[in-house]
């Protein structure tokens, strides 16, 4: 019977990881609110792309107002609804029309406080540097970030840790800017969300960076690869689902491609880390049975140093599409859609907290447990349908 290790607040780190996904990132605000209300205040926020913006706002504000600031950011960049709610007929067809009109507005006009069309457009060949080769100009985002984020708080190293992923263009490697290792500014967050060719590369210390999601859209891997001195409880909020139905329309083809591309093969990645952590914890347990004089051997010292006794509990939330959403869902920023996605995240978070499987002890021999809250939610729905 494997020994079980019970986590307590005093001996664990709470982390929150946000995947990229454009306008779908509003869902992460709702999940954060649910966790906040349940008393889960992360010590560490990690994000990519829009997830980096959400993570930076959360880390850059005190616990009691961070969710409010996240709400205010999304309100600031939202576009008005096209159809008057009191006049429109709430049918799947009208909802699809609303999604379409809103996304087309974004394509032609950009988003307030976020990005605007670049003039002249890149096809005219007026520019030849990565920071100007894009369809949109993201310079409005800098002042928006400065409005909602206290960068002095982030860089104090005395509050909440922030890590954000971006890809260095020339090497093609993902790099994580970490407030524990360097000073974080608006440019680092903008670099994490610089998805080409829509957005321009961001220059930092002589190097150009693009959106971290084009390399890895699952920043939880950065958390899992770090050697934490305490047990780790990590809530990770994903926005793209690699599983889905066969497409029956061209738009569904585009949507499925995007879902698969940006889900970043998260299932296989998590399985790999489960095996790694299991091995590390097994090494630590075995080291206890080695005589002390044998541990002086350089070879055994090296082996024992690779072990760890801390455990990891990873809780995965997954945004589930509305049946009316189109392939443009990640750049559909209407006020109505943003409010719906925040509410969706909040309801999902509340259901997960009611289950709270992460409060169960973690077997020392495994080292890591993964709780997929979307799977639990599906099982509950199936059970309710069966009971009816």
């Amino acid at each position: 019977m494997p020994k079980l290790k019970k986590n307590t607040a005093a001996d664990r780190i709470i982390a929150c990881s946000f995947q990229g996904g454009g306008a779908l990132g509003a869902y992460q605000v709702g999940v954060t609110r649910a966790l906040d209300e349940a008393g889960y205040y992360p010590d560490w926020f990690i994000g990519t792309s829009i997830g980096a913006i959400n993570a930076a706002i959360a880390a850059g504000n005190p616990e009691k107002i961070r969710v409010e600031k996240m709400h205010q950011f999304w309100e600031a960049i939202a576009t008005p609804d096209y159809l008057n709610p009191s006049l429109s007929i709430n049918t799947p067809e009208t909802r699809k029309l609303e999604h379409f009109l809103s996304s087309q507005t974004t394509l032609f006009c950009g988003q307030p406080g976020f990005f605007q069309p670049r003039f002249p457009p890149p096809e005219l060949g007026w520019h030849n540097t990565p920071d100007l080769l894009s369809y949109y100009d993201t310079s409005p985002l800098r002042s928006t970030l400065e409005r909602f984020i206290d960068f002095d708080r982030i860089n104090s190293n005395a509050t909440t840790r922030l890590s954000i992923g971006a890809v260095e263009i020339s090497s093609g490697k993902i790099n994580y800017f970490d407030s524990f290792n360097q000073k974080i500014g608006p440019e680092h967050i903008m670099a994490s969300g610089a998805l080409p060719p829509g957005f321009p590369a961001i220059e930092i210390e002589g190097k150009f960076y693009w959106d971290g999601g084009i390399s890895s859209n699952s920043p939880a891997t950065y958390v899992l690869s770090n050697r934490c001195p305490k047990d780790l409880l990590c809530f990770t909020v994903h926005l793209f689902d690699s599983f889905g139905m066969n497409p029956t329309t061209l738009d569904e083809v585009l949507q499925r491609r995007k879902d698969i591309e940006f889900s970043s093969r998260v299932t296989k990645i998590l399985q790999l880390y489960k095996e790694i952590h299991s091995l590390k914890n097994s090494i630590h347990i075995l080291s206890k049975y080695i005589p002390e004089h044998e541990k002086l051997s350089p070879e055994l010292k090296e082996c024992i140093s690779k072990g760890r006794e801390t455990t990891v509990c990873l809780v995965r939330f997954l945004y589930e599409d509305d049946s009316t959403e189109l392939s443009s869902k990640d750049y559909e920023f209407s006020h109505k859609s943003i409010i719906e996605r925040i509410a969706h995240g909040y309801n999902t978070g509340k259901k997960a907290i009611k289950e709270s499987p992460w409060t169960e002890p973690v077997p020392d021999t495994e080292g890591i447990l993964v709780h997929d809250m979307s799977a639990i939610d599906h099982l509950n729905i199936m059970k309710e349908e069966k009971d009816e």
Side-chain angles (χ1 to χ4, degrees), residues 2 7 29 35 37 76 95 119-120 122 163 177 186 198 210 234 261 267 272 311 329 346 387:
N7 290 114
V29 180
L35 295 175
E37 289 181 354
R95 194 69 187 101
F119 185 82
S163 306
F177 302 114
W210 274 335
C234 179
E261 181 179 2
T267 303
L272 174 62
T311 60
K329 60 186 179 180
Y346 179 67
D387 292 340

Side-chain angles (χ1 to χ4, degrees), residues 29 32-33 36 41 57-73 147-150 153:
V29 180
T32 305
R33 178 190 167 194
D36 181 87
Y41 299 116
I57 296 173
N61 285 284
E63 294 171 351
K64 298 300 182 182
I65 66 168
R66 63 174 43 144
V67 172
E68 178 186 348
K69 290 293 184 180
M70 293 171 81
H71 271 274
Q72 290 175 358
F73 166 79
R147 176 182 167 193
F148 292 106
I149 301 169
D150 182 349
R153 178 182 176 85

Side-chain angles (χ1 to χ4, degrees), residues 211-278:
D211 192 309
I214 64 176
S215 175
S216 174
N217 201 32
S218 300
T221 57
Y222 180 70
V223 184
L224 296 175
S225 64
N226 270 252
R227 195 180 182 94
C228 291
K230 298 182 179 181
D231 293 336
L232 175 68
L233 171 61
C234 179
F235 298 101
T236 180
V237 191
H238 292 165
L239 303 175
F240 293 99
D241 192 354
S242 60
F243 297 95
M245 302 294 288
N246 288 330
T248 58
T249 67
L250 181 58
D251 188 77
E252 289 178 1
V253 169
L254 296 174
Q255 188 168 177
R256 285 301 302 136
R257 189 202 72 176
K258 190 175 291 185
D259 287 340
I260 295 169
E261 181 179 2
F262 288 109
S263 64
S264 297
R265 303 170 297 280
V266 67
T267 303
K268 288 189 176 180
I269 290 173
L270 292 180
Q271 182 58 42
L272 174 62
Y273 276 98
K274 284 186 70 174
E275 294 176 3
I276 292 173
H277 279 266
S278 176

Side-chain angles (χ1 to χ4, degrees), residues 11 32 44 101 129 143 155 168 206 219 224 265 287 310 325 350 358 361 368 374 384:
D11 62 11
T32 305
W44 186 8
L101 292 174
T129 56
S143 59
N155 294 310
E168 198 277 306
L224 296 175
R265 303 170 297 280
S287 68
T310 56
E325 287 186 315
K350 293 288 284 185
W358 57 84
I368 179 171
S374 62
E384 289 172 5

